[in-house]
Amino acid sequence: MTIPYIYILLASTVINTVGTAPLLLSEGARRYSWVVPLISMLILLMTPDIHLLVYVAFLVVIGILGLITLMRVKSSIRGIDYMLISIMIIATVLALYTSNLALTLLSLMLVSAPTYLLILMGDPSISIEIGVKYVVNMIIATVLFFVGAIIISSGPSLITYIIGFSLLLLGLSLEVGAAPMHEWVPDVFTAGNPIPVAIIASIAKIAPFIVAVKITLTTMSLYGVSPYYLAYIAGAFATISMFLGNIGALTSRESPRVLAYSSIANMGYVMAAFAAAIMGAQEMGATLDFAFIGLLLQLFMNAVGKMGFFNTVFSKGNNAVSTWLISLAFIGTPPLLGFWSKLYIILALVYGNLTWLAVLLVINSVISVPYYVRLARELGTGWKGGLAEGLIIVFTILTLSTIIPPYWLVVPLIKMKLINYLILSLK
């Protein structure tokens, strides 16, 4: 008898929360507090669908790297921080798997809330001010997203739907740090401790887009909303985010600030994939397949690359080979991970009659070359041993994992019947 996967997710959550608590009772036990969160994430690999396993495995790997990353900093919430990472991964898997609207929105909250505590790690004189700014913005983002989701899920008229979708898009942009709701990103990324910022810049970006795609595609098909209005609104957000992020990175000098603006640009690329997914919602064919594949790959590239870069910033530089390879992957150099993500997004945009947005994406990729080269030169300082070096090498291997076309990611997504995971049940 197959155990329903939702029970596995629940068991993983219970093990993570209850199992971690005893380890927090003494300082000696805290050093082993990473064990239970690790086990709770590995349990997620018991997926009922072998095709879903590929994506869950990628998320689990990112979560494990997040645990190891947190080991590099002295934390006042040691043990709790590991538990929070596991909760974020569980919630992200839930966002991808569930067809229940309430659970989908819950997954968004479970990804966002842990970052409120993580951002407070580091120098108290700095982290409190930055933390308050970050938390306030995230609360506003959640409210906007939820209000927008409720409006478009209630069977509104076209005008009301567009208003609700715009609110959802504003909340999504504020949540992930995309323009024009990006104001918090440069300050938080620059002044915050690079280790928790690495988590916020990577793991926390994935679930919001998955949730937004699922809610939008479901309500569009249910209420017969034309995709053109929505795709062009999302395309406008993507254009603003790409140009503002890349130009901001070009004119910035501090490495964390450059990475902040590059994150804004990367969220613009993902928003472009969102626009393409909207255009492909009616046919449920190649456009939607390419769009969602590109969206997930770009989010994975952003997660791997940002964690790699911020670990390097924390170390005040790291080995030049890895730093250059991660930079080239972000630029979109074949056959690295960033090339395939952008290729699938461009294909989706062309198939979805959004060629103008595909051209803008290519232009922005070219604009990004100078500042990624500058990052590689500044942060590639030679070989360093220890945990940091090991982490950077693993991140580099992940960017190299697509030296051959990533059929191991593409084929499973098509075979697992994409529509089954993207359409919610609103009954």
Side-chain angles (χ1 to χ4, degrees), residues 17 48 78 94 96 138 162 179 182 202 205 242 267-268 346 394:
T17 306
R78 177 59 75 228
L94 175 64
L96 182 61
M138 291 304 101
I162 291 176
H182 65 285
S202 57
K205 306 287 189 183
M242 287 188 294
M267 293 305 101
I346 290 170
V394 173

Side-chain angles (χ1 to χ4, degrees), residues 13-150:
T13 305
V14 171
I15 291 171
N16 181 51
T17 306
V18 177
T20 302
L23 299 175
L24 304 178
L25 298 178
S26 68
E27 288 299 323
R30 282 178 182 265
R31 71 182 65 179
Y32 304 107
S33 56
W34 55 270
V35 174
V36 173
L38 175 62
I39 293 173
S40 70
M41 286 192 290
L42 292 176
I43 291 172
L44 298 175
L45 298 176
M46 299 169 59
T47 60
D49 188 340
I50 189 65
H51 301 119
L52 182 63
L53 177 61
V54 176
Y55 290 87
V56 174
F58 211 112
L59 290 171
V60 169
V61 168
I62 293 174
I64 292 172
L65 293 173
L67 291 181
I68 299 172
T69 295
L70 287 179
M71 293 177 184
R72 301 191 60 203
V73 63
K74 292 182 180 179
S75 172
S76 58
I77 55 171
R78 177 59 75 228
I80 297 176
D81 52 355
Y82 299 145
M83 181 179 69
L84 295 177
I85 292 294
S86 183
I87 288 174
M88 293 174 71
I89 295 299
I90 295 169
T92 303
V93 174
L94 175 64
L96 182 61
Y97 173 77
T98 186
S99 60
N100 183 284
L101 176 61
L103 289 178
T104 303
L105 293 174
L106 175 64
S107 69
L108 180 65
M109 293 182 62
L110 290 176
V111 168
S112 182
T115 62
Y116 302 172
L117 281 176
L118 293 175
I119 195 62
L120 296 174
M121 295 167 57
D123 184 355
S125 63
I126 298 176
S127 60
I128 295 297
E129 179 183 351
I130 293 299
V132 169
K133 183 173 186 176
Y134 175 78
V135 170
V136 169
N137 277 279
M138 291 304 101
I139 291 174
I140 295 173
T142 302
V143 171
L144 287 172
F145 195 103
F146 274 49
V147 171
I150 291 170

